Amino acid sequence: MRVYLFIAAVAGGATWLITPLIRHIAIHIGAVGRVRARDVHTIPTPRMGGLGMLIGFVVAMLFASRIPFISGLFTANHQAWVVMAGAIMICLLGMADDLWDLDWMLKLAGQLLISVFVAWGGLQIISLPLGSLVTASPTLSMAITAFLIVASINAVNFVDGLDGLAAGIVAIGGIAFGLYSYILARSSPSYASMATLIDVALVGVCVGFLLHNWHPAKLFMGDSGSMLLGYLITCASIVMTGHLDPASLHTSVYVPVFMPILLPILVLFLPVLDMCLAIVRRLSKGQSPMHPDRMHLHHRMLKIGHSVQGAVLILWGWAALISFGSVTILFFPVRYVVIGFLVAAAVLTVLTMLPYLRRRIPEIMEEDAAYSKHHAAQHVCPQSGRGADRPTSEAGNESRDAGKDREKDADRPSQE
């Protein structure tokens, strides 16, 4: 564990140290995001922070390749180098988008090509949980691997809308998945695990970048960063499941072993949910799936009344609840996990809706008070109107009778 903590510290330190330099480079070459209608920030801010994250990750991996405990992972096969090569390519693609705002179809094609390259390099899911453990064909394995990588890349890209949001969610997911992969690795002859190594380096990179990206952010990660984070967290899960032998697995470990296939979806539940909602929303309006709008989850949190920091912290809480809840269910009794999950979900729900309730409850009370006054006035006014009419009519009749009597009295003398 100490070796992994050291790798995380190296990744975080390198990212934190190099990011200010990347910020100056981004300003110099013009990689400064203009303020768009859908953006939350109000001043132009340099992006391309993904380059600093990439440097931190590569430095941590090179350090790891020299540590005896982990160095065998780099000599046994080329998996680590394939992951780093794919990270460099996906970051370069994101940097091109940060500089020139690539068309979404061109960017998607680039993501797909890089994903296929990584799958062709040996990073594949070769076993599928289809009723029983089934070994997929090489073509199907490459297709599934590429699809998962592209989906995760765009999921993180979609949720990257507030300072620190994407980096925090991925860091939380990386911690949960890293603990899970480390626990599984302890049952093997060697504790060394490529999945755990990628996760701890990823967490370190996110923490190092967050020190510059917390609101108000000095630098945005841009597409170069969000695409890199989605790529790395998916690679970690694929590494874990890529070389499972279906014939050697017992049914008692069926669910735990294939949890890595489900865990990335649960770890990235909020980004994936946001992406799915955005695609459905845009297609229902006849728009492109990549058409920008202000209806993402973080935009809705701001509309409720949260500050940027408050919205980020609450979304982090939801991400932690789903990520760690999905992991702890494998090691603790289900009923205890469910109870804890429901209690935490209730607390987060209250915190999520608190600004709305604070604003809406006084408004409801004022509306009720105004309605009560209006109803009371309507109840009193008709009665007072009828009471006023009676004296008026009676007084009118009395005056008319008095007038007739006076006329009769005036006529009597004349007749006499």
Side-chain angles (χ1 to χ4, degrees):
M1 178 59 75
R2 287 178 294 180
V3 173
Y4 291 127
L5 293 177
F6 172 73
I7 296 301
V10 170
T15 304
W16 178 71
L17 289 174
I18 200 65
T19 296
L21 176 61
I22 300 301
R23 181 178 182 273
H24 288 294
I25 294 175
I27 295 174
H28 180 71
I29 65 177
V32 179
R34 67 183 186 277
V35 180
R36 300 164 295 187
R38 68 178 186 272
D39 290 332
V40 175
H41 65 282
T42 56
I43 58 174
T45 305
R47 44 190 181 180
M48 209 173 71
L51 178 58
M53 302 167 81
L54 173 67
I55 293 174
F57 177 77
V58 171
V59 168
M61 294 295 282
L62 293 178
F63 262 87
S65 67
R66 299 297 180 181
I67 298 176
F69 172 69
I70 305 177
S71 59
L73 298 174
F74 293 82
T75 57
N77 53 56
H78 302 290
Q79 210 168 52
W81 307 108
V82 171
V83 171
M84 282 192 283
I88 293 171
M89 289 188 288
I90 204 70
C91 185
L92 290 176
L93 177 63
M95 289 172 57
D97 185 65
D98 291 337
L99 283 170
W100 301 301
D101 286 327
L102 302 178
D103 181 75
W104 71 270
M105 293 187 67
L106 179 61
K107 187 165 60 174
L108 186 62
Q111 295 170 359
L112 187 59
L113 288 175
I114 295 170
S115 301
V116 171
F117 165 79
V118 171
W120 176 76
L123 202 71
Q124 296 181 19
I125 295 178
I126 61 175
S127 302
L128 303 173
L130 302 175
S132 59
L133 301 182
V134 178
T135 302
S137 65
T139 303
L140 182 59
S141 296
M142 291 180 64
I144 294 174
T145 302
F147 172 78
L148 288 176
I149 293 175
V150 171
S152 298
I153 286 172
N154 287 284
V156 177
N157 191 19
F158 271 61
V159 83
D160 181 30
L162 296 179
D163 298 341
L165 180 58
I169 288 177
V170 173
I172 291 169
I175 293 172
F177 192 79
L179 290 174
Y180 173 69
S181 60
Y182 177 75
I183 292 172
L184 288 187
R186 288 174 63 89
S187 61
S188 63
S190 173
Y191 286 3
S193 168
M194 179 60 67
T196 308
L197 176 61
I198 296 173
D199 277 318
V200 297
L202 175 62
V203 172
V205 163
C206 291
V207 173
F209 184 74
L210 271 173
L211 298 177
H212 299 281
N213 189 237
W214 186 247
H215 184 76
K218 301 176 183 177
L219 178 71
F220 294 153
M221 67 172 64
D223 279 19
S224 57
S226 61
M227 291 165 58
L228 177 65
L229 295 183
Y231 165 82
L232 289 177
I233 198 168
T234 308
C235 284
S237 66
I238 294 174
V239 166
M240 180 177 292
T241 59
H243 296 285
L244 297 176
D245 182 9
S248 65
L249 297 177
H250 191 269
T251 55
S252 62
V253 297
Y254 175 78
V255 174
V257 166
F258 275 93
M259 191 63 183
I261 295 178
L262 301 176
L263 193 57
I265 300 175
L266 298 173
V267 164
L268 297 177
F269 179 78
L270 288 182
V272 171
L273 175 63
D274 192 26
M275 179 181 67
C276 294
L277 291 176
I279 292 175
V280 172
R281 181 174 63 246
R282 293 164 185 177
L283 290 177
S284 64
K285 295 179 180 179
Q287 299 173 339
S288 164
M290 299 298 177
H291 182 78
D293 58 27
R294 290 181 61 88
M295 297 295 291
H296 291 286
L297 293 178
H298 50 273
H299 290 133
R300 296 174 187 271
M301 293 289 289
L302 296 179
K303 288 180 180 179
I304 290 174
H306 289 283
S307 64
V308 173
Q309 297 95 327
V312 169
L313 290 174
I314 291 176
L315 290 174
W316 283 5
W318 282 109
L321 175 62
I322 298 171
S323 300
F324 288 98
S326 60
V327 172
T328 54
I329 201 171
L330 299 174
F331 306 104
F332 297 95
V334 175
R335 61 180 181 276
Y336 296 136
V337 176
V338 171
I339 292 173
F341 184 91
L342 293 177
V343 171
V347 173
L348 285 173
T349 300
V350 172
L351 293 176
T352 301
M353 300 303 298
L354 190 58
Y356 175 78
L357 295 176
R358 284 179 175 175
R359 183 181 71 251
R360 185 56 183 158
I361 289 177
E363 292 177 356
I364 293 174
M365 295 177 65
E366 292 178 1
E367 291 173 0
D368 289 343
Y371 176 77
S372 299
K373 291 180 180 179
H374 180 69
H375 184 69
Q378 285 183 335
H379 182 70
V380 172
C381 288
Q383 292 181 350
S384 62
R386 289 193 297 270
D389 288 341
R390 284 197 203 96
T392 303
S393 59
E394 292 174 357
N397 294 333
E398 292 176 357
S399 63
R400 285 195 297 271
D401 294 340
K404 291 179 181 179
D405 292 340
R406 284 195 297 270
E407 290 176 356
K408 290 180 181 179
D409 293 338
D411 289 342
R412 284 194 195 101
S414 62
Q415 290 175 357
E416 292 177 350

